[in-house]
Amino acid sequence: MSYAVGIDIGGTKTAIGLIDSSGVILAKTSLPTDLSIKPDEMVDRMAEAVKDLITAQGIQESDLLGIGVGAPGPLNSKTGYIVKPPNLPTWWDFPLVDSLRRHFELPISFENDATAAALAEKWLGAAQDAEHFVFITVSTGIGAGIYTHGKLLTGATGNAGDVGHFVIDASGDQCVCGQHGCWEYLASGTAIARQASALLGREVSSKEAFDLAAAGDVPMKDLIDGIFRYIGIGCVTLINTFDPEMLVIGGGVSQVGAPLFDAVKDYVSQYALNPSGRTTAIVPAALQQDAGLIGAAALVHMPY
């Protein structure tokens, strides 16, 4: 049996796991992503956690095939740099891979977190039988991993799939990226909470917004129906661009289930350009909580 370490870096926490070649998570832990310390110090903590994890499992570093790291973009997977992710402002232009190499003499694979999650869905999840699919995560933001012709499409620097910054409505308000009306600004979990809070004049979570809509609150239902339409618009754009056989939707917002998937399928069935695109399979992600960890390890275990 061979093993890999997966590291999934997020804005608030970093998950670390030991995953075998069949995709089983043998052990995992997490650390707060502490933005008050230097990134190198955070990497020191990550490395210590990795070593503690493998020691507890009776595994030597020499037993590992490598370390896979998924992180939010923009990044540069070729140089190993975290470039400019909005939720990691103190990590901008940070040589993450070189920093990890201070602690390990192992191959290190590094990709965008949504790209890694797409590979996880291909390995063990909803897209095992698909050779052309797009994984979409709709959560705090919106991102995608693109798998086509039997391999990941990562782009020149690893940032292919930053679809949250498709402009869906140019008359909309300004996104953090500077454009107006980005898909992420209009339809992410953050966007739902922001718009619902403005509607009700108090702090509202995206879950509460969905619950109110399901309970028959008419203004909230109108808001959520609009969100689903925006998600449908983005999905049609991806279908028209990549001609996938499947869209896999994950992330926190996908947990609303049938109301989202039914609305998106209906929109796609009307507006995808190619008649065959109108019947594109649109399915929920099979790997939710541990998708990032499994995806990071998949960067080591699977050719991509």
Side-chain angles (χ1 to χ4, degrees):
M1 186 67 72
S2 55
Y3 308 95
V5 168
I7 301 176
D8 181 30
I9 300 172
T12 57
K13 76 169 186 175
T14 294
I16 299 167
L18 178 66
I19 294 95
D20 70 19
S21 55
S22 63
V24 173
I25 300 174
L26 301 176
K28 62 181 179 178
T29 188
S30 66
L31 305 170
T33 303
D34 190 344
L35 300 181
S36 70
I37 62 174
K38 293 180 179 179
D40 273 325
E41 293 178 50
M42 186 63 209
V43 170
D44 293 344
R45 294 181 185 179
M46 289 159 49
E48 183 180 359
V50 168
K51 291 177 180 180
D52 288 345
L53 209 62
I54 63 175
T55 298
Q57 294 297 308
I59 292 171
Q60 303 297 317
E61 188 176 324
S62 58
D63 296 325
L64 298 175
L65 291 177
I67 298 172
V69 184
L75 48 73
N76 191 318
S77 60
K78 303 297 185 288
T79 63
Y81 270 66
I82 298 272
V83 177
K84 202 174 182 181
N87 59 349
L88 292 174
T90 60
W91 289 51
W92 290 4
D93 298 317
F94 173 61
L96 173 66
V97 171
D98 281 348
S99 187
L100 273 171
R101 283 181 176 141
R102 294 181 295 122
H103 299 277
F104 302 100
E105 294 183 5
L106 289 166
I108 299 173
S109 301
F110 175 51
E111 295 289 349
N112 182 279
D113 48 9
T115 296
L119 195 60
E121 289 292 332
K122 173 61 180 173
W123 187 19
L124 300 170
Q128 291 180 59
D129 297 326
E131 292 302 295
H132 306 272
F133 73 92
V134 180
F135 166 79
I136 307 160
T137 177
V138 186
S139 190
T140 304
I142 296 179
I146 303 157
Y147 192 94
T148 188
H149 295 283
K151 62 182 181 179
L152 283 176
L153 193 161
T154 59
T157 60
N159 291 294
D162 213 345
V163 299
H165 300 282
F166 283 164
V167 172
I168 300 295
D169 180 0
S171 66
D173 290 338
Q174 189 172 34
C175 176
V176 293
C177 75
Q179 295 193 102
H180 289 256
C182 288
W183 195 17
E184 179 173 297
Y185 185 83
L186 296 171
S188 64
T190 304
I192 295 166
R194 185 190 68 249
Q195 293 172 73
S197 298
L199 193 62
L200 296 182
R202 61 179 177 83
E203 198 75 18
V204 179
S205 68
S206 58
K207 182 182 184 306
E208 184 181 356
F210 284 127
D211 289 344
L212 288 168
D217 184 296
V218 174
M220 197 59 63
K221 184 177 186 306
D222 289 344
L223 172 64
I224 296 303
D225 285 347
I227 296 292
F228 290 163
R229 179 175 176 272
Y230 282 135
I231 294 174
I233 290 171
C235 287
V236 164
T237 301
L238 289 167
I239 290 168
N240 290 348
T241 303
F242 294 106
D243 190 25
E245 62 197 280
M246 176 184 290
L247 297 181
V248 180
I249 304 179
V253 171
S254 73
Q255 297 302 296
V256 72
L260 167 65
F261 285 89
D262 290 347
V264 171
K265 288 174 185 177
D266 182 63
Y267 191 91
V268 166
S269 73
Q270 296 180 66
Y271 297 112
L273 183 62
N274 187 334
S276 69
R278 296 175 189 172
T279 59
T280 302
I282 300 170
V283 303
L287 307 171
Q288 290 290 344
Q289 187 175 357
D290 292 319
L293 267 188
I294 294 170
L299 297 173
V300 176
H301 281 303
M302 288 188 70
Y304 70 96

